[in-house]
Amino acid sequence: MFENNSDIENSKCLQQFCQILPKIELHAHLNGALSKKTLDDLYKMKYPEKTDTCEAFNFASLKEVFEVFNIVYSVTTTPEAVFIATYNTIKEFYEDNVIYLELRSTPRAENGMTKTEYVLAILKAIETCQTEKIDIIVKLLISINRKQGYKAAKENIHLAIDMCKEYKNIVGIDLSGDPTKGEAFIELLYQARKAGLKIAAHCAEVANEVECMNILKFKPERLGHGTCIHQHSNGSERLYQTLLDSKIPVEICLTSNVKCKTVANYSSHHFKYLYESKHPVCICTDDKGVFDTTLSKEFTLAVEHFNLNKSHLVNLMKSTVNYAFASDIEKNKMIEIIDNFKNVWI
Ligand code: 6MZ
């Protein structure tokens, strides 16, 4: 990858640049984002008598990664735990110089906790961070897990529609879950859209031309992954052209796709085709805890594998502002922060 010492120096400098760059995170699953420290703290809280720590993550494919979430779920079973999980996660993104964060999470009813209580615990953590002047804007997308079926999806959509009237931080719906199971619930997504919620839909994480076309026809505000759309990544020319024509921004999750083996390696990641076609893209972490990454690391990988320079990174970040489910005032504030940074560092 590096030709000589000055390349290495340059790379170190770009790595530091990625760290200090004010960043925008648009694709972060709460239960996938928990750091080892947060998991261990929650484990101790749940099992005070035990001396070991939370089980290590072990997976070798996309299929296996969905098992890993059950480890996390075993410690986020109370509103207190969900509060701590959210609070710590927001702080960690903030410490990575993230200025705007969209968290997404699937409400769970278990152990006497209701789905409403689950969502309220997340909102309380967001509010607490605001009160403590942690300078990061945080929004919430309510997720529907395609594997859990229609009834659960409908419940989550209706919960989001009801709660977003009072809680303005709830701005959208995320369609996610194991892409080999269940369906996309497009009829429910239309209901959410009618109620004013924005939609971010996982799409083509595995090859499924019919479903992908249906999602593209629905035109979500953003697409997650978009892996198997290009003809060189198990998609087709027709699908890729439909995506390009749609101009729907794609949330790119480099480490997630490589670790789940849905793309062979970083250099052949579909980010390359999309970026070269000038299609709207944003770089995201997906599950920073599960994949042991940070948003800075994801930008560093983009620099290393796709030859991006400082100006490219700043431009990428500024265009990402447009895809955020934020108000115009918030978007203007983000642009101002990025422009100020650019004036100092470029
Ligand atoms: C699809 C994913 C995902 O909602 O409990 N999730 N869905 N593809 C992925 N790529 C690896 N990564 C995470 O966070 C965990 C849930 O997010 C979805 C899965 O449904 C997972 O159970 P929450 O906060």
Side-chain angles (χ1 to χ4, degrees):
M1 197 162 40
F2 302 122
E3 302 273 305
N4 53 41
N5 272 350
S6 83
D7 275 1
I8 294 173
E9 276 310 307
N10 192 25
S11 144
K12 260 196 202 151
C13 164
L14 277 167
Q15 195 179 328
Q16 282 161 2
F17 186 83
C18 291
Q19 226 293 309
I20 59 173
L21 176 69
K23 289 175 286 294
I24 291 157
E25 167 68 81
L26 299 183
H27 186 137
H29 299 272
L30 175 62
N31 281 282
L34 308 198
S35 60
K36 178 84 177 89
K37 177 168 180 333
T38 298
L39 284 171
D40 285 344
D41 287 353
L42 294 177
Y43 185 81
K44 271 191 212 130
M45 200 170 107
K46 181 151 186 191
Y47 306 106
E49 71 290 354
K50 292 196 183 174
T51 51
D52 56 346
T53 55
C54 200
E55 209 179 313
F57 296 150
N58 195 2
F59 60 91
S61 65
L62 181 67
K63 184 170 174 276
E64 287 178 18
V65 94
F66 292 103
E67 300 298 319
V68 159
F69 291 110
N70 293 330
I71 302 174
V72 183
Y73 288 151
S74 70
V75 293
T76 53
T77 50
T78 62
E80 294 74 30
V82 174
F83 173 88
I84 292 170
T86 312
Y87 178 85
N88 287 3
T89 300
I90 295 173
K91 268 189 120 175
E92 286 157 5
F93 275 109
Y94 168 72
E95 282 157 12
D96 191 32
N97 288 316
V98 172
I99 57 168
Y100 176 89
L101 165 66
E102 278 177 26
L103 276 177
R104 47 183 79 189
S105 196
T106 324
R108 296 197 333 268
E110 58 189 38
N111 244 353
M113 170 173 71
T114 65
K115 287 190 175 185
T116 305
E117 284 167 344
Y118 178 96
V119 175
L120 286 174
I122 297 177
L123 294 170
K124 190 173 152 204
I126 297 175
E127 202 187 307
T128 305
C129 288
Q130 270 172 349
T131 317
E132 291 180 8
K133 305 257 179 297
I134 298 173
D135 199 7
I136 174 171
I137 302 170
V138 185
K139 307 280 177 182
L140 178 64
L141 311 191
I142 301 293
S143 300
I144 50 181
N145 181 338
R146 44 188 301 147
K147 188 184 151 189
Q148 288 172 355
Y150 182 82
K151 186 170 167 279
K154 190 172 166 194
E155 254 173 40
N156 296 4
I157 295 268
H158 285 186
L159 185 69
I161 293 174
D162 280 350
M163 291 187 81
C164 74
K165 292 177 200 140
E166 186 176 349
Y167 301 99
K168 299 298 171 201
N169 289 342
I170 299 178
V171 289
I173 295 292
D174 155 57
L175 167 72
S176 57
D178 185 341
T180 63
K181 310 259 161 68
E183 50 152 319
F185 308 115
I186 291 186
E187 170 230 319
L188 291 173
L189 298 181
Y190 273 110
Q191 288 183 28
R193 172 174 282 165
K194 209 167 150 212
L197 291 162
K198 303 268 196 322
I199 315 293
H202 281 58
C203 179
E205 207 175 353
V206 296
N208 185 340
E209 176 137 7
V210 173
E211 181 181 279
C212 180
M213 203 50 110
N214 287 338
I215 292 177
L216 289 173
K217 267 193 211 140
F218 167 74
K219 272 190 163 264
E221 276 71 20
R222 294 196 312 256
L223 291 179
H225 300 285
T227 315
C228 304
I229 295 186
H230 192 277
Q231 51 272 38
H232 292 310
S233 347
N234 283 323
S236 69
E237 216 174 311
R238 190 173 83 105
L239 266 188
Y240 192 62
Q241 195 53 51
T242 310
L243 171 66
L244 294 184
D245 293 344
S246 76
K247 308 232 176 334
I248 303 171
V250 179
E251 302 153 353
I252 297 288
C253 308
L254 297 168
T255 300
S256 162
N257 297 154
V258 170
K259 288 199 173 174
C260 290
K261 300 196 176 74
T262 50
V263 304
N265 51 48
Y266 288 106
S267 320
S268 62
H269 195 280
H270 50 287
F271 171 80
K272 182 175 151 54
Y273 313 120
L274 291 167
Y275 190 69
E276 282 170 5
S277 306
K278 301 202 181 331
H279 189 83
V281 285
C282 51
I283 291 183
C284 312
T285 53
D286 202 8
D287 299 291
K288 77 173 176 61
V290 171
F291 299 124
D292 189 22
T293 190
T294 62
L295 195 51
S296 296
K297 280 194 200 168
E298 295 304 303
F299 274 90
T300 307
L301 287 166
V303 164
E304 287 173 2
H305 295 279
F306 308 106
N307 232 353
L308 304 190
N309 62 28
K310 291 180 186 176
S311 293
H312 296 138
L313 290 172
V314 167
N315 290 340
L316 197 54
M317 202 50 75
K318 281 181 81 169
S319 54
T320 299
V321 171
N322 297 320
Y323 322 140
F325 299 164
S327 69
D328 287 344
I329 294 175
E330 288 163 335
K331 287 182 181 178
N332 289 339
K333 184 183 165 197
M334 289 186 252
I335 292 286
E336 195 184 320
I337 294 172
I338 300 167
D339 275 340
N340 287 342
F341 174 86
K342 182 180 171 187
N343 292 339
V344 175
W345 293 98
I346 297 191

